[in-house]
Amino acid sequence: GAVVSQHPSWVICKSGTSVKIECRSLDFQATTMFWYRQFPKQSLMLMATSNEGSKATYEQGVEKDKFLINHASLTLSTLTVTSAHPEDSSFYICSAREGNRVVGYGYTFGSGTRLTVV
Amino acid sequence: SQQGEEDPQALSIQEGENATMNCSYKTSINNLQWYRQNSGRGLVHLILIRSNEREKHSGRLRVTLDTSKKSSSLLITASRAADTASYFCATAPTTGANSKLTFGKGITLSVRP
């Protein structure tokens, strides 16, 4: 089945530094990937839709200059949290769907990245 | 913005019992999906039901969809301690690969051994 690898699984960084999170589709090509943010005991909130070879589409209220998304290839999308602050601490999850799969399949999610900004 | 609203928000049952979780949504959908999330992990896709389907089964899972009421239910039969997790419903407006999922708030299921 489809596998999405997300790295790192957890990271602790100092306030003011930047952190990059990678999301890779291992056995399929993902023209579109999605980035979510999840606070403890809450649901997933879509941050942006990442399109290979073009600019990401951000959801309302998400700062695109703070959360930089690059989708350089059909198998890799990265999310960079720039100048991180403690309020950026959260669980970040990516997902993708193999575009040519038979309708009826869901999306494949990465295992998530726990970001803690101190 | 969140579309799905699950209830109950938390459910605790004894191993072997059935667990029923409900989800309501607000707008038109192409399909509705249920996902499971273990603590601190990513989501695992459980089952998808299309808007023209009313019921679907997968192993111990049974999902129903009532588009007139904009609601869905997930039934887990003969629950096991390993079923302890958070469960989310998510709606998709279209079938395309770039169709955005909108998640509900989630239900925390605890299955006591």
Side-chain angles (χ1 to χ4, degrees):
Chain A
V3 177
V4 171
S5 174
Q6 187 172 342
H7 179 82
S9 56
W10 60 271
V11 58
I12 301 173
C13 71
K14 290 185 178 180
S15 188
T17 61
S18 296
V19 173
K20 180 184 284 188
I21 302 170
E22 292 188 348
C23 182
R24 293 180 185 271
S25 57
L26 296 187
D27 51 359
F28 68 100
Q29 294 184 332
T31 53
T32 305
M33 290 186 177
F34 303 89
W35 288 95
Y36 295 85
R37 182 173 181 175
Q38 184 180 31
F39 290 104
K41 299 189 185 302
Q42 294 191 23
S43 187
L44 281 74
M45 299 300 295
L46 180 65
M47 298 174 66
T49 303
S50 166
N51 301 294
E52 186 267 337
S54 64
K55 291 182 179 180
T57 303
Y58 290 82
E59 294 299 301
Q60 190 173 8
V62 178
E63 300 175 60
K64 59 183 178 182
D65 294 331
K66 179 165 190 61
F67 299 100
L68 300 179
I69 292 173
N70 184 287
H71 196 150
S73 74
L74 286 172
T75 59
L76 173 64
S77 176
T78 61
L79 167 67
T80 301
V81 183
T82 62
S83 186
H85 289 95
E87 57 265 29
D88 299 323
S89 298
S90 189
F91 193 58
Y92 295 87
I93 311 176
C94 67
S95 79
R97 186 179 181 196
E98 189 174 4
N100 60 351
R101 294 197 82 187
V102 174
V103 173
Y105 286 86
Y107 293 69
T108 303
F109 283 77
S111 56
T113 298
R114 171 75 58 195
L115 170 63
T116 302
V117 184
V118 298
Chain B
S1 60
Q2 292 179 337
Q3 152 120 286
E5 293 280 342
E6 292 99 335
D7 76 83
Q9 292 193 340
L11 181 61
S12 180
I13 59 174
Q14 198 72 36
E15 199 167 31
E17 294 179 340
N18 296 340
T20 299
M21 293 168 270
N22 303 301
C23 167
S24 61
Y25 58 92
K26 299 175 183 174
T27 62
S28 297
I29 64 171
N30 175 275
N31 64 76
L32 185 145
Q33 305 173 30
W34 284 90
Y35 288 83
R36 166 197 168 121
Q37 182 181 35
N38 286 76
S39 181
R41 306 300 300 271
L43 275 70
V44 174
H45 175 249
L46 296 176
I47 195 165
L48 179 153
I49 186 165
R50 283 172 276 202
S51 59
N52 61 352
E53 297 177 311
R54 292 296 165 259
E55 186 172 315
K56 206 164 182 180
H57 297 254
S58 177
R60 293 186 295 115
L61 304 179
R62 172 178 169 258
V63 65
T64 63
L65 180 64
D66 187 333
T67 53
S68 66
K69 296 181 180 178
K70 290 186 167 57
S71 67
S72 173
S73 68
L74 174 68
L75 168 67
I76 303 175
T77 60
S79 64
R80 305 166 182 169
D83 294 329
T84 296
S86 292
Y87 292 82
F88 294 89
C89 69
T91 55
T94 67
T95 60
N98 59 351
S99 179
K100 296 190 290 187
L101 291 179
T102 303
F103 284 86
K105 294 181 179 178
I107 300 169
T108 301
L109 173 66
S110 298
V111 181
R112 305 186 299 274

